[in-house]
């Protein structure tokens, strides 16, 4: 299949005006006799999502796909603030997706087959989850031989606090001011455990390194530049294990926040039918172990939650909007910065 990649701006994104949101990559997946074009804006890396696009086009060989990759906050900005025209918005930031739907920026698709999904995997016929991805800790083999890494947040806090020379400048986590996914995981942590703020304070004293993206954290852990990275997206870490040595993945035993990657059809979408067909395709991901393996994106599997009670899916609903309130967000970021960022 012929693939065209673009680094520059494409006029169809925001006709007649400059694009303000940051574009990481743009790719066109053409077909020989296109009848329609599906325009997707997504936070998923190309390496993860390309197998899904190729499989979708095998089922629908007349639909070309234009795939734009951006960050979680920029996706929100594109849809809400700039009115950029896309047919699907796919993001790992459940709170921002929920806000888009709640504020009228998503269309309903009542015909979507959600019968195979648990009740917590869709919302209002507008948000549809198709993956479940844990936030994990990634640790360096050089700093933590197998079996030596802490397994709970309390143990992690104790390890870092008791060994400042060992971990000074060698701990990484998300910069929640820049990352929508990082902000979501941090706010969930603050709701789930009082240990979160103690952990942030300890990391701050160790001059923690702050990142926009999971991929960079994983690479720095694998190379030994970091001893550990906290709240890394587990699907990306598992995928990188196929390419990189030097690190292992820890699902902390006290609890694991599980993000649901979601798709919505923006209110100004132009190509509705292919967007709906792609949602139907995504909702069948749990029937395609070949695509799960190729993409590294874990499909919805409610049995896994029954077998591991430490797993906690982030739930849709008004509770996700609490920390998006301007005053609440400002207060949270101020507390986070005071704890973690050493001036």
């Amino acid at each position: 299949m012929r693939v065209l990649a673009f680094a520059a701006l494409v006029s169809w994104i925001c006709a007649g005006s400059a694009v303000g949101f940051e574009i990481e990559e743009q790719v066109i997946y053409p077909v020989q006799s296109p009848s329609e074009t599906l325009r997707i804006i997504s936070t998923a890396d190309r390496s993860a999502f390309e197998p899904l696009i190729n499989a979708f086009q095998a089922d629908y060989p007349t639909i070309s796909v234009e795939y734009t990759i951006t960050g979680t906050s920029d996706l929100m900005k594109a849809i809400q603030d700039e009115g950029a025209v896309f047919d699907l918005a796919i993001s790992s930031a459940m709170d921002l997706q929920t806000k888009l739907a709640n504020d009228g920026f998503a269309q309903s698709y009542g015909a979507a087959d959600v019968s195979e999904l648990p009740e917590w995997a869709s919302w209002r016929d507008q948000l549809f989850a198709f993956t479940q991805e844990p936030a994990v800790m990634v640790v360096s083999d050089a700093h933590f031989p197998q079996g030596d890494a802490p397994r709970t947040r309390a143990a992690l806090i104790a390890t870092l606090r008791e060994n400042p020379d060992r971990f000074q400048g060698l701990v990484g986590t998300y910069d929640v001011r820049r990352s929508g996914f990082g902000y979501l995981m941090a706010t969930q942590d603050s709701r789930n455990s009082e240990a979160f703020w103690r952990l942030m304070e300890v990391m701050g004293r160790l001059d923690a390194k702050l990142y926009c993206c999971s991929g960079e954290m994983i690479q720095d852990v694998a190379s030994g530049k970091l001893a550990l990275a906290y709240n890394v997206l587990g699907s990306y870490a598992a995928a990188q294990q196929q390419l990189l040595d030097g690190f292992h993945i820890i699902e902390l035993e006290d609890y694991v926040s599980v993000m649901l990657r979601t798709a919505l059809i923006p209110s100004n979408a132009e190509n509705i039918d292919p967007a709906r067909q792609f949602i139907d395709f995504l909702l069948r991901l749990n029937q395609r172990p070949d695509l799960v393996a190729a993409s590294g994106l874990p499909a919805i599997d409610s049995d896994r939650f029954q077998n591991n009670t430490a797993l906690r899916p982030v739930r849709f609903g008004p509770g996700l909007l609490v920390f998006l309130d301007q005053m609440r967000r400002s207060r949270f970021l101020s507390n986070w910065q005071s704890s973690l960022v050493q001036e």
Side-chain angles (χ1 to χ4, degrees):
M1 179 173 291
R2 187 170 172 235
V3 176
L4 305 178
F6 294 84
L9 209 258
V10 177
S11 61
W12 49 260
I13 292 178
C14 196
S17 63
V19 171
F21 65 94
E22 182 178 347
I23 297 171
E24 297 177 10
E25 188 175 8
Q26 296 171 327
V27 187
I28 295 178
Y29 297 85
V31 293
Q32 287 188 344
S33 301
S35 62
E36 295 176 285
T37 297
L38 175 64
R39 297 169 178 169
I40 302 174
I41 184 169
S42 173
T43 64
D45 289 350
R46 177 180 172 185
S47 59
F49 217 75
E50 190 167 276
L52 303 186
I53 293 174
N54 290 337
F56 173 77
Q57 289 183 311
D59 291 345
Y60 299 93
T62 64
I63 298 177
S64 62
V65 175
E66 296 175 337
Y67 189 67
T68 299
I69 303 170
T70 189
T72 49
S73 298
D74 280 297
L75 185 148
M76 177 80 171
K77 181 179 180 181
I79 301 299
Q80 177 180 265
D81 299 337
E82 299 185 14
V85 178
F86 292 97
D87 306 310
L88 272 181
I90 296 172
S91 177
S92 57
M94 294 175 63
D95 51 351
L96 299 183
Q97 292 281 83
T98 300
K99 182 170 175 55
L100 285 174
N102 190 69
D103 291 354
F105 291 94
Q107 299 186 27
S108 296
Y109 176 34
D113 185 8
V114 297
S115 60
E116 298 298 318
L117 296 179
E119 53 84 19
W120 42 259
S122 63
W123 193 59
R124 292 184 178 177
D125 292 331
Q126 294 181 324
L127 285 182
F128 304 95
F130 61 97
T131 73
Q132 54 188 50
E133 303 176 54
V136 302
M137 185 169 69
V138 175
V139 299
S140 165
D141 292 345
H143 293 85
F144 291 101
Q146 287 281 355
D148 284 359
R151 309 294 304 191
T152 67
R153 286 167 182 79
L156 174 60
I157 291 169
T159 298
L160 297 178
R161 183 177 286 157
E162 294 166 7
N163 301 276
D165 293 339
R166 177 181 170 192
F167 295 109
Q168 191 70 35
L170 297 177
V171 176
T173 192
Y174 274 106
D175 185 340
V176 304
R177 299 165 299 186
R178 301 166 58 200
S179 168
F181 172 75
Y183 182 76
L184 172 64
M185 290 297 100
T187 55
Q188 290 298 305
D189 270 352
S190 72
R191 297 176 71 176
N192 284 327
S193 173
E194 295 179 357
F196 171 71
W197 290 113
R198 296 201 305 274
L199 178 58
M200 292 301 100
E201 290 170 0
V202 172
M203 286 186 175
R205 289 197 293 270
L206 294 175
D207 189 28
K209 301 297 185 288
L210 303 178
Y211 293 78
C212 72
C213 312
S214 286
E216 295 178 23
M217 281 190 274
I218 296 165
Q219 291 173 6
D220 282 356
V221 171
S223 70
K225 292 180 181 179
L226 292 179
L228 65 90
Y230 178 75
N231 265 356
V232 173
L233 191 55
S235 57
Y236 287 0
Q240 286 298 308
Q241 276 192 320
Q242 309 302 314
L243 305 172
L244 299 173
D245 297 320
F247 73 94
H248 51 287
I249 299 169
I250 304 291
E251 289 190 359
L252 293 171
E253 295 172 358
D254 44 346
Y255 70 88
V256 178
S257 294
V258 180
M259 172 274 293
L260 311 178
R261 192 178 297 269
T262 61
L264 64 80
I265 303 174
S267 56
N268 63 346
E270 296 178 341
N271 301 305
I272 309 301
D273 287 341
R276 291 175 171 177
Q277 289 165 338
F278 203 91
I279 285 177
D280 291 338
F281 174 82
L282 292 175
L283 295 182
R284 297 191 295 270
L285 184 60
N286 59 2
Q287 302 172 22
R288 294 291 303 269
D290 58 324
L291 291 183
V292 171
S295 66
L297 298 176
I300 297 292
D301 178 9
S302 56
D303 289 343
R304 185 153 187 253
F305 293 91
Q306 296 175 359
N307 297 330
N308 184 354
T309 57
L311 298 178
R312 299 184 186 176
V314 180
R315 303 273 179 169
F316 292 117
L320 273 180
L321 303 178
V322 169
F323 286 99
L324 296 182
D325 173 78
Q326 186 172 359
M327 289 184 63
R328 189 74 175 264
R329 176 180 170 85
S330 177
R331 188 180 308 119
F332 183 90
L333 290 178
S334 177
N335 291 338
W336 176 88
Q337 185 160 322
S338 296
S339 299
L340 194 60
V341 180
Q342 303 297 304
E343 301 296 345

